[in-house]
Amino acid sequence: MDAFKLFLLCLLCSNTFNSVMCSLEIHCNQKDMNTLLHFKQGLIDPSGLLSSWFPNLDCCQWSGIKCDDITARVTQLYLPCYTNHPQLLPYGDKDDKSHCLSGAFSLTLLELEFLNYLNLSNNDFKCIKYSSIGSHRCDDFSTDNLPYLFGNTTKLHYLDLSYNYDLVVHDLHWISPLTSLQYLNLGGVYIHKDIDWLQSVTMLPSLEELHLVSCQLENLYPFLHYANFTSLQVLNLAHNNFVSEFPTWLFNLSSGISHIDLSQNQIHSQLPKTLPCFRSLKSLVLSQNYLKGTIPDWLGQLEQLQELDLSHNFLSGSIPTSLGNLSSLTILILESNEFNGSLPDDLGKLFNLETLRVAANSLTGIVSERNLLSFQNLRELSLSSPGLDFDFNSEWVPPFQLKHIRLGYVRNKFPAWLFKHSSLKYLAIGDSNASFEPLDKFWKFATQLEFISLERNTINGDMSNVVLNSKVVWLVGNNLGGFVPRITPEVVVLHLRNNSLSGSISTMLCQNMTNKSNLVHLNLAYNNLSGELTDCWNNWDSLVLINLGHNNLKGEIPNSMGSLSNLRCLSVGNNMLSGEVPLSLKKCHNLSIFDVGHNNLSGVLPSRFGENIKGLKLGSNQFSGTIPTQICELHSLMVMDFSSNRLSGSIPDCLHNITTMVANYASNRRVGFILNFPGFSVTVVTSVQILIKGNELSYVYLMNVIDLSNNNLSGNVPSDMYMLTGLQSLNLSHNHLMGTISEEIVNLKPLESIDLSRNNFSGQIPSSMSNLHYLEVLNLSFNNFMGKIPSGTQLGFTELSYIGNPGLCGPPLSNICQQDEEHHATKPTEEEEEEEDDTFEIYSWFYMGLGIGFAVGFWGVLVSAIFFNRRCNRAYIH
């Protein structure tokens, strides 16, 4: 029905006698219906979301479809997938999208000529295709035909395909004809690095919001001077891989450019004499990239800017005073960069500022109430740099009420003005030597907080009579003493690692709680706790992570721990526990890390674990018997540490069934979880101490490790050991193993460390070992190897790697092989001796230089690993 007929109908309906005609229904356009049905054909719809999409039903009544009230043409398609966002999400786990739309996103949908709104976010599309031209391949469509296919009448204003995490885009030319587009969100979609993404989006003259978060973009076009945006208000390019300085085109966004050739960074039009600078930008987010250099002064001329987030980059220099000109700014986030100098006084001009975060830089100077007086609306403040000196008047009353504050390197006294913030919910203070006295006043104040983090301070307080009430309690490395504090059911995270707490944990765990506990994370490691592991664990079934390692706990592991059905990590290593591992722990089906190393546990090796187990640290105990073959059923196992026990028998010949040991890449090498709270989230990642390359270090990213050293194992190395192509460290030292090492050891290409010392291995060292290019530590000492050490394997290794093998010869050992002696049996002439001396001198310098280079290179890797893990072993707080 056309508009004129509809108009006549409305006139008739105005007459009460003709009201019967008002009941006439308007059906959707047949062409629109066919387009939608064609789109449906390429979809997988597991939940039946499109079950109403059938020709015998008006398409304006289909789920997710909205039509124009007058013309009955399809104008909106709203089919986002809703996934649960629980308070606790295991780290690395993706949202469950088994009920979401999947398959291919067909561009035929864009033939709906009156479509103005399209939202298919958070589904599970795999690719983009245009099937109506006869090809069923993804991303296979002709750019020449696109304007013809979509026509010039496209009215699409809003397009959201974000969070289709498996969607890969190899071509963006299909976006260019959408000239009416105002909102574009492709966040979480992988845009191939070879795409000129900026060229495609600059062809959209009406674009107001552009969101390309986590698209793995690499080119920010830093040398491009102009970009053809005329209406852009929001630009979010966070969490990409941009390695460049600040791009100039962000300022010179002009309406006087007709074409941009990004491949040559040239402008193909005559620029106006006075280039109209684009100043309507309201939000600029470039956080979590690799931007370097300084912030340009021209950024202060974006007069409409309300949000500026440049955090987590490598920007340096001073914070420009020109930012004080951004009078509309409400959010300024510059934390985690390399800025230096003082905090500019001009920031005091930002009267509308609500969020100021400049922590984790190298700022210097004095910060006092004078810097904050003009911030009437401030709600979030983050200031933390070693060179900042806080000098606040103890009687100062702030003109604002904070909800979030993060301070670092506070000296002398705790800022008294914080007690005046009755709305404060989030408090983080670190690396400070300030006095928190009087402590009773501070802990009373802390009861209003939902999040409290005190890390590496010098509080020196007695916690025996303290009751903690915050959802997240993160008190690490503060020298807190006394007994373990009591907690209320509100506490979800209790992290008191590396303090001086003493006494029994039963004072907390066995307390009478009127309401059910919500505790998820309990970490009391590195304290002076004593007594037994209480048997009160039935009251704490919400626990996901328990770390009580490095204390003085004794007794047996209680059976009640088997009731912790949600448990993912149990670490009680480096204590004085005894007895056998209770069978009740097999009920903990979600257990990923089980660390009981360095205790006095006995009995047979526990092997009945769930399919999620990734790390078994059972070393340095008194376990006996053989290695059970059930270990081979743990397909997710990455860390197998059975070292320093009393194990006997042979190594099972089924290890190749451990899937992660065979794979070169494990999908998730980190164990932890994400806790979501209103206003913030906490990511907790657990670490595992692994002895590798002669050092026991804490690893956040799990490695594929087998350590069976210091036992009584015998027999040959099973042939399937050479099938573990994902193995990174192998330690079989100090056993009674025998036989030869197969040439197939070359299959273990990721190996970084091999220790076969003090066994009864014989035969020759496989020449294929010289092809293990990642190998950094090799120990074959005190065996019965014989023959010449293959060339290549000795590079970087000293004779300590081979001593105790009387039959071995060749460098780096001093034993000269017989064939080499025969080769040099003929006495050289005097001229040859001189030449040989010169040659020896050259090679001596060569080997010396090579040795130094290797040592320096290895130390660099080692130091990087130490610093990396030190940094990653902390919780990430958002």
Side-chain angles (χ1 to χ4, degrees):
M1 180 179 298
D2 56 31
F4 178 72
K5 292 181 179 178
L6 188 64
F7 173 72
L8 293 177
L9 176 62
C10 293
L11 290 177
L12 291 173
C13 288
S14 62
N15 188 326
T16 55
F17 294 102
N18 295 311
S19 59
V20 66
M21 298 190 64
C22 295
S23 62
L24 293 177
E25 294 185 1
I26 306 173
H27 295 283
C28 77
N29 180 272
Q30 186 65 39
K31 180 181 178 181
D32 288 354
M33 177 183 288
N34 292 337
T35 300
L36 291 171
L37 290 175
H38 188 268
F39 172 71
K40 179 185 176 182
Q41 290 178 358
L43 297 181
I44 299 172
D45 182 17
S47 61
L49 180 64
L50 307 182
S51 58
S52 61
W53 286 32
F54 281 100
N56 57 353
L57 182 65
D58 180 9
C59 73
C60 291
Q61 306 299 318
W62 292 356
S63 60
I65 303 297
K66 183 177 180 181
C67 295
D68 185 88
D69 293 334
I70 297 177
T71 64
R73 299 299 297 266
V74 173
T75 58
Q76 294 188 18
L77 178 56
Y78 184 78
L79 291 173
C81 184
Y82 294 100
T83 52
N84 293 326
H85 293 285
Q87 184 186 36
L88 187 145
L89 180 67
Y91 188 88
D93 284 12
K94 295 182 179 181
D95 292 342
D96 181 12
K97 294 190 175 183
S98 59
H99 61 290
C100 299
L101 295 176
S102 185
F105 169 65
S106 174
L107 293 178
T108 55
L109 198 61
L110 301 180
E111 292 182 346
L112 296 169
E113 53 188 319
F114 290 93
L115 185 70
N116 60 55
Y117 184 98
L118 175 57
N119 189 336
L120 295 172
S121 61
N122 204 40
N123 278 286
D124 197 24
F125 291 109
K126 307 299 183 183
C127 64
I128 296 175
K129 70 176 183 178
Y130 195 88
S131 56
S132 67
I133 61 175
S135 173
H136 297 283
R137 292 187 299 167
C138 292
D139 285 330
D140 185 7
F141 37 82
S142 170
T143 58
D144 295 334
N145 291 330
L146 285 176
Y148 169 75
L149 292 169
F150 300 157
N152 296 319
T153 58
T154 176
K155 293 179 173 55
L156 191 64
H157 295 160
Y158 187 103
L159 175 59
D160 190 348
L161 298 177
S162 61
Y163 306 116
N164 283 274
Y165 292 115
D166 293 330
L167 182 59
V168 179
V169 175
H170 294 278
D171 194 310
L172 275 178
H173 287 100
W174 55 273
I175 287 181
S176 301
L178 307 178
T179 53
S180 299
L181 203 61
Q182 299 175 2
Y183 178 97
L184 175 61
N185 193 342
L186 298 179
V189 175
Y190 172 42
I191 298 177
H192 195 273
K193 62 181 181 180
D194 293 332
I195 292 179
D196 284 338
W197 62 270
L198 187 56
Q199 183 180 26
S200 297
V201 296
T202 52
M203 303 299 289
L204 306 174
S206 302
L207 194 63
E208 297 179 0
E209 291 195 34
L210 176 61
H211 300 267
L212 298 179
V213 180
S214 300
C215 293
Q216 302 184 47
L217 300 174
E218 296 182 3
N219 193 351
L220 194 55
Y221 307 98
F223 303 110
L224 183 69
H225 295 293
Y226 308 100
N228 190 22
F229 290 112
T230 58
S231 307
L232 197 63
Q233 298 181 17
V234 176
L235 178 61
N236 191 340
L237 301 176
H239 208 286
N240 282 290
N241 300 317
F242 298 132
V243 182
S244 74
E245 295 185 351
F246 221 90
T248 306
W249 58 265
L250 280 175
F251 178 62
N252 293 326
L253 299 178
S254 166
S255 61
I257 300 172
S258 61
H259 175 68
I260 301 175
D261 185 351
L262 295 174
S263 62
Q264 300 296 326
N265 293 326
Q266 295 176 354
I267 309 300
H268 292 275
S269 71
Q270 185 175 357
L271 298 177
K273 294 181 179 180
T274 303
L275 186 66
C277 299
F278 177 50
R279 300 185 181 184
S280 61
L281 196 65
K282 295 181 179 180
S283 175
L284 176 60
V285 180
L286 296 172
S287 59
Q288 300 185 71
N289 281 286
Y290 302 92
L291 298 180
K292 56 186 178 180
T294 60
I295 296 180
D297 284 332
W298 54 255
L299 199 61
Q301 299 182 38
L302 301 179
E303 299 170 350
Q304 302 300 317
L305 203 61
Q306 298 175 9
E307 178 183 12
L308 176 61
D309 186 354
L310 305 177
S311 61
H312 298 277
N313 280 288
F314 295 93
L315 296 170
S316 58
S318 60
I319 299 175
T321 58
S322 61
L323 295 186
N325 299 327
L326 304 176
S327 57
S328 300
L329 204 63
T330 59
I331 299 175
L332 176 59
I333 305 178
L334 303 176
E335 63 188 5
S336 297
N337 278 285
E338 298 174 358
F339 294 119
N340 53 39
S342 60
L343 202 63
D345 292 337
D346 290 69
L347 294 185
K349 300 177 183 178
L350 305 178
F351 302 111
N352 295 309
L353 205 61
E354 299 177 5
T355 297
L356 174 61
R357 289 162 52 181
V358 292
N361 282 289
S362 299
L363 300 176
T364 56
I366 296 176
V367 176
S368 67
E369 61 270 18
R370 183 175 59 87
N371 299 92
L372 307 179
L373 280 174
S374 59
F375 300 145
Q376 305 286 331
N377 301 313
L378 198 63
R379 296 293 179 266
E380 183 175 357
L381 176 64
S382 177
L383 289 169
S384 174
S385 289
L388 285 180
D389 188 6
F390 296 97
D391 185 19
F392 288 93
N393 190 314
S394 59
E395 302 298 325
W396 179 54
V397 178
F400 47 81
Q401 275 289 315
L402 292 175
K403 291 185 177 181
H404 293 226
I405 187 169
R406 176 188 174 190
L407 297 176
Y409 304 97
V410 180
R411 302 171 182 87
N412 301 321
K413 296 203 68 174
F414 178 81
W417 55 274
L418 287 181
F419 290 122
K420 299 179 174 65
H421 291 273
S422 57
S423 300
L424 195 65
K425 298 299 180 184
Y426 179 113
L427 171 66
I429 299 179
D431 299 293
S432 301
N433 57 8
S435 171
F436 283 71
E437 300 289 347
L439 280 172
D440 55 346
K441 180 180 180 180
F442 175 78
W443 293 120
K444 183 179 180 180
F445 170 72
T447 58
Q448 75 178 46
L449 303 173
E450 294 183 0
F451 178 100
I452 178 171
S453 172
L454 304 177
E455 193 164 356
R456 298 180 302 278
N457 299 291
T458 53
I459 301 177
N460 301 318
D462 189 328
M463 302 294 290
S464 302
N465 297 317
V466 174
V467 178
L468 299 171
N469 186 56
S470 305
K471 287 183 171 60
V472 177
V473 179
W474 199 273
L475 310 177
V476 177
N478 297 288
N479 201 30
L480 297 170
F483 297 151
V484 179
R486 290 171 294 160
I487 63 174
T488 69
E490 295 295 319
V491 179
V492 178
V493 172
L494 181 64
H495 194 133
L496 303 178
R497 183 178 183 267
N498 195 21
N499 283 287
S500 300
L501 300 173
S502 58
S504 172
I505 59 175
S506 61
T507 56
M508 184 197 77
L509 294 176
C510 297
Q511 63 177 308
N512 293 323
M513 300 185 70
T514 55
N515 296 318
K516 183 178 175 63
S517 167
N518 293 300
L519 192 64
V520 168
H521 174 39
L522 174 64
N523 193 329
L524 300 174
Y526 290 93
N527 279 283
N528 299 317
L529 301 176
S530 57
E532 297 186 352
L533 282 173
T534 175
D535 204 19
C536 299
W537 297 99
N538 290 319
N539 302 325
W540 305 87
D541 58 356
S542 58
L543 278 167
V544 173
L545 188 151
I546 300 175
N547 190 347
L548 303 174
H550 295 270
N551 280 287
N552 299 310
L553 301 172
K554 60 182 180 179
E556 299 184 354
I557 299 175
N559 282 314
S560 61
M561 277 193 157
S563 65
L564 304 177
S565 57
N566 295 307
L567 197 62
R568 289 179 176 267
C569 178
L570 175 59
S571 179
V572 291
N574 294 88
N575 281 287
M576 296 181 289
L577 301 175
S578 57
E580 298 185 5
V581 176
L583 293 175
S584 61
L585 287 181
K586 68 181 181 181
K587 300 177 184 178
C588 302
H589 300 294
N590 295 312
L591 197 62
S592 294
I593 302 294
F594 183 58
D595 181 0
V596 294
H598 297 275
N599 281 288
N600 294 311
L601 298 171
S602 57
V604 297
L605 278 179
S607 59
R608 298 292 184 179
F609 293 95
E611 60 181 13
N612 296 311
I613 195 74
K614 294 181 179 181
L616 278 180
K617 286 224 19 159
L618 310 179
S620 299
N621 280 286
Q622 304 296 324
F623 291 116
S624 57
T626 60
I627 299 176
T629 57
Q630 289 86 352
I631 292 294
C632 301
E633 299 174 8
L634 306 178
H635 303 300
S636 300
L637 191 62
M638 285 187 276
V639 177
M640 181 195 298
D641 181 4
F642 302 161
S643 62
S644 300
N645 280 287
R646 298 178 179 178
L647 302 176
S648 58
S650 59
I651 300 174
D653 60 356
C654 56
L655 296 178
H656 66 280
N657 292 322
I658 304 177
T659 307
T660 51
M661 293 285 186
V662 177
N664 289 325
Y665 174 77
S667 59
N668 186 12
R669 292 186 174 273
R670 304 176 80 176
V671 177
F673 51 83
I674 300 173
L675 283 165
N676 296 305
F677 299 98
F680 67 93
S681 64
V682 177
T683 300
V684 179
V685 180
T686 187
S687 63
V688 177
Q689 288 186 315
I690 303 175
L691 179 62
I692 184 173
K693 305 176 188 177
N695 297 283
E696 188 168 36
L697 301 173
S698 292
Y699 287 83
V700 175
Y701 288 90
L702 299 183
M703 300 180 67
N704 288 339
V705 175
I706 294 179
D707 190 347
L708 306 178
S709 62
N710 290 289
N711 281 289
N712 296 310
L713 299 174
S714 58
N716 297 330
V717 174
S719 58
D720 73 337
M721 180 74 77
Y722 305 113
M723 300 169 62
L724 306 182
T725 54
L727 194 62
Q728 294 169 280
S729 178
L730 175 64
N731 192 344
L732 304 178
S733 65
H734 293 80
N735 280 288
H736 305 290
L737 299 170
M738 55 188 297
T740 60
I741 305 302
S742 171
E743 290 281 354
E744 293 182 359
I745 196 171
V746 72
N747 296 334
L748 313 184
K749 296 187 183 301
L751 268 179
E752 300 178 22
S753 176
I754 305 174
D755 192 347
L756 305 180
S757 62
R758 296 188 181 275
N759 278 284
N760 297 314
F761 290 116
S762 58
Q764 293 187 336
I765 299 175
S767 60
S768 61
M769 290 184 70
S770 61
N771 293 319
L772 297 176
H773 301 299
Y774 294 101
L775 196 62
E776 295 180 358
V777 174
L778 174 66
N779 193 348
L780 303 178
S781 62
F782 297 100
N783 279 284
N784 297 312
F785 289 113
M786 57 185 298
K788 184 177 181 179
I789 297 175
S791 60
T793 59
Q794 76 274 14
L795 293 180
F797 303 122
T798 67
E799 63 178 5
L800 295 178
S801 297
Y802 306 100
I803 60 174
N805 291 277
L808 277 182
C809 61
L813 297 176
S814 57
N815 298 341
I816 300 176
C817 298
Q818 182 177 359
Q819 57 268 36
D820 294 335
E821 287 181 342
E822 294 175 353
H823 180 71
H824 295 287
T826 305
K827 184 178 180 180
T829 64
E830 191 171 324
E831 293 178 354
E832 290 173 335
E833 284 182 347
E834 290 180 1
E835 184 178 348
E836 184 177 318
D837 290 340
D838 293 340
T839 304
F840 176 76
E841 184 177 353
I842 292 172
Y843 278 103
S844 296
W845 280 106
F846 172 76
Y847 281 116
M848 184 182 298
L850 186 60
I852 293 173
F854 179 85
V856 172
F858 176 68
W859 175 243
V861 172
L862 183 60
V863 170
S864 298
I866 292 174
F867 285 144
F868 174 79
N869 288 295
R870 181 181 299 166
R871 181 176 61 192
C872 291
N873 196 25
R874 300 173 57 192
Y876 303 97
I877 300 164
H878 305 279

